[in-house]
Structure formats: structure tokens, C-alpha cells
């Protein structure tokens, strides 16, 4: 598969005030900009083993399917069953989704995402595309946070900070940053990179899951983390994050639409060998309802996409 990463790379970023964009207009724009071959479809955003997505079916699997053996085909589908695979992963680490996520991002996932979030050339084309998409999300968040006033002295909670992609730019702008992640490896890397930047005021880095966060902040930001929470748990997490924020809450999540859900389901049939986290998509209406239930309203919204990165970005304020 050939992919271009220059002018032909589709990365629409649309921001506007509260009114929801026309669905038909959004689909028309999407269809004009990108067509993904089925062999290239991965699970969305941060839950995929992106290094293997270009070759989802090996020769043995194709031979089994081509041979017409119903029993063998059933065995292949069983091995590819995402629910069964997730059960086995949870049993291996002795817990549920949270424990699987912690284990993954402290081990093989840390090495993979450190490369994707970093500047190394040792990434494949899909990983590079994900890097571009995530960078665009950080860029738009920085625009949101600086469009009204400077960040000097503003308190910001970066919930799920990863390797510090947002925390470090915030600190450079003078924000007082509290950054946390469920992965000790990620937090150590973020702190290392922040020290190398010789920041005037270092962010406060901590190893914490979202449920453990406390305090009060002018702004709370949580990027690409809700993908690890099913909707019933995401509702509670959104409520908790809103309780920490005084002025605004910024969230990004993998949007649940018919098209994106189809991509995810097809991608789940062809897992990479190290895939270890489950991807949950969220309907924008569900996220907005969760915010309304705790007295918040959406002020800005946008969609950031590349070929392999899909993120809905929402800025909410007290109603």
C-alpha cells in the first residue's frame, strides 16, 4: 500500500462555536478526502498495534480461507475474536481494562508509543500518520487554551499526559501544570523530556489513574484516554474530570459513528501480535449528555482526522 504524507494527506480540522455541524456536510467532506482499503483498516487511535496493520492476514490464514474449510475458517475467526482475546489478556494481568492498559503502557506499549509520540525515524507509515494526527490535536488544544488570554499562571491538569506532548508546551507558555498518567514508564519519560527542555517551571508529574485525580484547576485536559473506557464508565469519568475544573474542560475521544465503528470492527479481526488494549468509541451526543448532566455545556467542537487517526475534540464550560 502506498500512502502520501504531504499535500495529499487528509487532515481536516474544523472548529466553530456551539452549533453541531451538519451530518450530511461532514460525510460529504469525508468521502471526498479519503478512501481506505480494507487491508489498511486498523482499530482507531491509541488501541492498535500499528506496526503490523499493513499486513493483517498472513499466507497461512489466506490459504485456510481459500481452501474452503469451514472448520478451519471457524478456528481462524475464533483466534481473531476480540472479546475472547480481551478476556485472556485480562486474565494474564489479573484484572480488567484498567489493569490491561497499565500493563501494556508500562511495557510493549510504552516502547511503541514513545516512538510514535517522539521524533525518531524508526516508525512505519501508519505510525507516522498517527503521530501527525496526535500532533494536530495538541496544536488545536494549545490554540484553544491561548485564544482568549495568555497561559501565564493558569493551572492546568493534564490527565493522561503520556510522554508530555501537551504538558511541556503548556509549561513553556507559563502554565502551572499538574500532569499524570496510569503508566509509570510514560510519566518517567515525560519528566525526562521536560528536564531536557530546561523549563522555567517544571510540571508536577505523578503516576495516577483518572479516578485518583483530585484538586481544583482552571482547566482540565484529557486527550485520547476515553478510548479505554466503555460509555457507562466514561460518563462517571467525565463527571469526575468536570468536578476538577473551574473554568473549562477539554476532551478528545474516538467518535462513534456507523463508519468509524465499521472500521474498528473490521480492524479488530486482524490484531497485531502485541495489541493489548480495548478501543471504545463514544457518540458525541453521549459525551455531551454526560457533560450536561453535571451542569456543563459544549462551547467548541472539532474533528481531527488523518488516514489512521480519528479524534473528536470538545471544549466545555460551566452552563
Amino acid at each position: 500500500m502506498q500512502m502520501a504524507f504531504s499535500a495529499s494527506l487528509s487532515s481536516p480540522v474544523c472548529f466553530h462555536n456551539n452549533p453541531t455541524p451538519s451530518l450530511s456536510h461532514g460525510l460529504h467532506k469525508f468521502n471526498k478526502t479519503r478512501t481506505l482499503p480494507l487491508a489498511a483498516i486498523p482499530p482507531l487511535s491509541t488501541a492498535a498495534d500499528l506496526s503490523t496493520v499493513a499486513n493483517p492476514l498472513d499466507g497461512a490464514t489466506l490459504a485456510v480461507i481459500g481452501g474452503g474449510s469451514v472448520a478451519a475458517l471457524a478456528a481462524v475467526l475464533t483466534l481473531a475474536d476480540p472479546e475472547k482475546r480481551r478476556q485472556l489478556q485480562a486474565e494474564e494481568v489479573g484484572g480488567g481494562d484498567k489493569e490491561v492498559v497499565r500493563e501494556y503502557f508500562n511495557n510493549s506499549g510504552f516502547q511503541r508509543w514513545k516512538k510514535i509520540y517522539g521524533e525518531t525515524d524508526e516508525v512505519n507509515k501508519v505510525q507516522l500518520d498517527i503521530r501527525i494526527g496526535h500532533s494536530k490535536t495538541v496544536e488545536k488544544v494549545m490554540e484553544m487554551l491561548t485564544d482568549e488570554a495568555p497561559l501565564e499562571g493558569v493551572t492546568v491538569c493534564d490527565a493522561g499526559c503520556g510522554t508530555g506532548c501537551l504538558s511541556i508546551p503548556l509549561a513553556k507558555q507559563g502554565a502551572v501544570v499538574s500532569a499524570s498518567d496510569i503508566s509509570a514508564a510514560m510519566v518517567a519519560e515525560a519528566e525526562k523530556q521536560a528536564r531536557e527542555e530546561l523549563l522555567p517551571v517544571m510540571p508536577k508529574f505523578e503516576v495516577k489513574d483518572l479516578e485518583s485525580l483530585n484538586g481544583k484547576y482552571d482547566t482540565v485536559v484529557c486527550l485520547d484516554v476515553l478510548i479505554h473506557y466503555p460509555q457507562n464508565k466514561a460518563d462517571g469519568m467525565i463527571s469526575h474530570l468536570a468536578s476538577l475544573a473551574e473554568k473549562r474542560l477539554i476532551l478528545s475521544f474516538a467518535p462513534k459513528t456507523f463508519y468509524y465503528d465499521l472500521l474498528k470492527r473490521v480492524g479488530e479481526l486482524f490484531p497485531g501480535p502485541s495489541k493489548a488494549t480495548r478501543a471504545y468509541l463514544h457518540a458525541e451526543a453521549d459525551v455531551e449528555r454526560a457533560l450536561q448532566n453535571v451542569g456543563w455545556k459544549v462551547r467548541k467542537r472539532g474533528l481531527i482526522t488523518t488516514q489512521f487517526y480519528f479524534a473528536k475534540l470538545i471544549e466545555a464550560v460551566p452552563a
Side-chain angles (χ1 to χ4, degrees), residues 30-101:
F30 180 87
N31 289 336
K32 286 179 64 179
T33 57
R34 177 175 68 260
T35 300
L36 293 179
L38 285 181
I41 296 173
L44 300 183
S45 192
T46 57
D49 174 8
L50 303 165
S51 62
T52 60
V53 74
N55 297 291
L57 292 175
D58 60 22
T61 303
L62 289 173
V64 167
I65 295 174
S69 169
V70 176
L73 178 58
V76 170
L77 293 177
T78 299
L79 289 173
D81 177 16
E83 291 300 330
K84 180 64 175 177
R85 188 173 67 252
R86 289 161 187 155
Q87 289 179 10
L88 293 174
Q89 290 162 349
E91 290 172 4
E92 286 177 3
V93 299
D97 282 340
K98 184 197 297 187
E99 288 71 24
V100 170
V101 170

Side-chain angles (χ1 to χ4, degrees), residues 268-287:
E268 282 183 326
L269 294 178
F270 312 119
S274 300
K275 184 189 298 180
T277 62
R278 182 173 186 174
Y280 295 97
L281 311 186
H282 299 287
E284 184 176 352
D286 289 337
V287 174

Side-chain angles (χ1 to χ4, degrees), residues 9 114 125 152 156 164 256 289:
L9 178 62
K114 177 185 174 183
K125 291 181 178 180
E152 186 74 34
V156 181
K256 183 177 179 63
R289 172 186 48 76

Side-chain angles (χ1 to χ4, degrees), residues 3 18 27 43 61 97 142 175 179 208 222 255 271 274 279 315:
M3 290 190 293
N18 195 26
L27 289 175
T61 303
D97 282 340
M142 290 300 296
K208 283 187 175 183
C222 185
S274 300
E315 179 190 52

Side-chain angles (χ1 to χ4, degrees), residues 4 23 27 65 79 101 103 112 123-124 133 163 171 195-196 215 226 236-237 244 263 290 313:
L23 180 60
L27 289 175
I65 295 174
L79 289 173
V101 170
E103 175 72 14
R112 182 166 294 110
V123 290
N124 62 40
T163 59
R195 293 191 184 282
E196 290 174 354
L226 291 179
M237 204 46 50
L244 306 177
L263 297 189
L313 193 58

Side-chain angles (χ1 to χ4, degrees), residues 288-299:
E288 189 162 3
R289 172 186 48 76
L291 288 164
Q292 291 172 346
N293 287 343
V294 292
W296 287 67
K297 64 181 181 181
V298 175
R299 182 168 70 171

Side-chain angles (χ1 to χ4, degrees), residues 183-231:
S183 164
M186 287 285 190
V187 169
E189 179 64 21
E191 191 165 15
K192 172 178 173 289
Q193 293 190 21
R195 293 191 184 282
E196 290 174 354
E197 293 283 344
L198 300 176
L199 300 174
V201 179
M202 278 283 292
K204 178 184 178 183
F205 290 104
E206 294 182 284
V207 180
K208 283 187 175 183
D209 56 35
L210 296 190
E211 295 90 335
S212 302
L213 297 178
N214 53 29
K216 286 289 185 180
Y217 308 90
D218 295 322
T219 296
V220 174
V221 183
C222 185
L223 302 182
D224 294 348
V225 176
L226 291 179
I227 196 168
H228 301 301
Y229 289 84
Q231 189 60 52

Side-chain angles (χ1 to χ4, degrees), residues 235-248:
D235 288 349
M237 204 46 50
I238 291 169
S239 173
H240 178 57
L241 292 171
S243 74
L244 306 177
E246 298 278 8
K247 298 179 180 179
R248 57 182 163 185

